[in-house]
């Protein structure tokens, strides 16, 4: 799957989405995706190994299991293996975030 195909698949979820990160609470709910590195190995201050991953963030004002399942179904139907989402909740700002990591 290419990044363009991923964007098309995300668009099928019917939520606003951007590359990068929107400020929290802006247009909640929304999906943001960005390239990130994981599993970096350093030796003498130099990165000798790292992997490039996509971080797909679903941001909403409360936990939305239906949309989280739709995201997981979209990833699975496109053959994209992903890690279990990292879940965060900011009680003060009332923002729930589910972040999925995967490689394409």
């Amino acid at each position: 799957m290419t990044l363009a195909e991923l964007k098309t698949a995300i668009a099928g979820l019917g939520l606003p989405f951007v590359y990068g990160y929107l400020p929290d609470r802006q247009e909640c709910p929304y999906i943001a995706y960005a390239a990130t590195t994981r599993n970096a190995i350093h030796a003498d201050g130099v990165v000798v190994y790292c992997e490039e991953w996509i971080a797909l963030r679903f941001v909403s004002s409360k936990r939305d299991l239906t949309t989280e399942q739709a995201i997981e179904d979209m990833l699975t139907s496109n053959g994209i293996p992903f890690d279990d989402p990292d879940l965060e909740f900011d009680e003060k700002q009332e923002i729930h975030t589910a972040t999925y990591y995967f490689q394409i």
Side-chain angles (χ1 to χ4, degrees), residues 16 18 21-31 59 93 95:
V18 296
Y21 294 103
L22 286 175
D24 290 336
R25 296 289 291 174
Q26 181 176 335
E27 298 181 36
C28 267
Y30 69 89
I31 294 175
V59 181
Q93 295 186 21
I95 295 179

Side-chain angles (χ1 to χ4, degrees), residues 37-71:
T37 58
R38 295 183 80 190
N39 304 322
I41 299 172
H42 301 268
D44 297 326
V46 176
V47 174
V48 294
Y49 176 82
C50 73
E51 300 168 348
E52 292 194 11
W53 290 64
I54 298 293
L56 181 76
R57 270 178 95 207
F58 169 58
V59 181
S60 60
S61 59
K62 62 182 178 177
R63 186 154 190 202
D64 182 348
L65 295 174
T66 303
T67 302
E68 288 177 28
Q69 185 63 53
I71 291 169

